[in-house]
Amino acid sequence: MDVIKAARNLGAAIQADEKYKVYMEAKKKSDEDKDLQALIGEFNMARMNIDAEINKEENERDQDKIREFNFTLRQIYGKVMCNDSMIEFNKAKNDFEGLLRHMNGIIEMCCEGADPETCEPSECTGSCATCGGCH
């Protein structure tokens, strides 16, 4: 079997994995959630308002408007992140991305000569700044 065929088989296996299925279902549900999509639209509009004000010439910028837009943006963001569909989507996305990171770690180790049957990538990123502690 050549490498491209193996990649296609891996793609099919990914799509058959439960984490992928849960992720895709959560994505579909969040895309179809009218309340969530309305909030995302409000968020994008608020972000555009901030950008428009910030991009004005310095002497034309209204700092009170920028503060007001930032406050509104944070309020809307909080509502988006508390939406049940978004919570479900983020959990499914994080789980699926964890699977992808693990797979990529195995592939990278194999490219460095590790035994494909026994290699196990570390979850360590090398940065102690974001670490919760070893093992």
Side-chain angles (χ1 to χ4, degrees):
M1 171 183 315
D2 71 3
V3 140
I4 301 301
K5 177 74 173 157
R8 292 184 193 285
N9 288 338
L10 177 58
I14 290 168
Q15 291 177 348
D17 189 90
E18 190 62 26
K19 288 181 182 181
Y20 173 83
K21 292 175 183 177
V22 169
Y23 168 64
M24 294 307 289
E25 184 58 36
K27 182 179 183 319
K28 181 178 185 248
K29 182 178 176 184
S30 68
D31 287 346
E32 294 173 351
D33 184 324
K34 291 184 188 329
D35 292 335
L36 175 59
Q37 294 308 312
L39 286 170
I40 291 171
E42 287 179 44
F43 178 85
N44 289 333
M45 184 59 70
R47 191 176 56 193
M48 286 173 23
N49 289 337
I50 291 172
D51 289 345
E53 194 64 34
I54 288 174
N55 288 324
K56 288 182 178 178
E57 294 294 324
E58 189 171 343
N59 62 337
E60 295 179 15
R61 279 185 216 138
D62 184 334
Q63 293 302 321
D64 289 334
K65 276 188 178 179
I66 292 172
R67 279 190 286 281
E68 179 184 327
F69 292 150
N70 270 319
F71 177 78
T72 301
L73 188 72
R74 285 192 297 275
Q75 296 289 101
I76 297 168
Y77 180 80
K79 290 177 184 177
V80 167
M81 298 313 289
C82 289
N83 177 284
D84 289 341
S85 295
M86 181 57 80
I87 291 168
E88 184 180 331
F89 171 76
N90 281 330
K91 181 183 180 334
K93 181 176 182 265
N94 288 336
D95 288 348
F96 181 61
E97 287 175 348
L99 172 66
L100 294 178
R101 279 191 305 276
H102 190 86
M103 289 171 31
N104 285 332
I106 291 170
I107 291 168
E108 287 174 10
M109 290 179 76
C110 291
C111 289
E112 294 171 0
D115 181 353
E117 296 297 321
T118 61
C119 67
E120 195 59 42
S122 168
E123 295 296 319
C124 180
T125 63
S127 171
C128 295
T130 59
C131 185
C134 291
H135 314 289

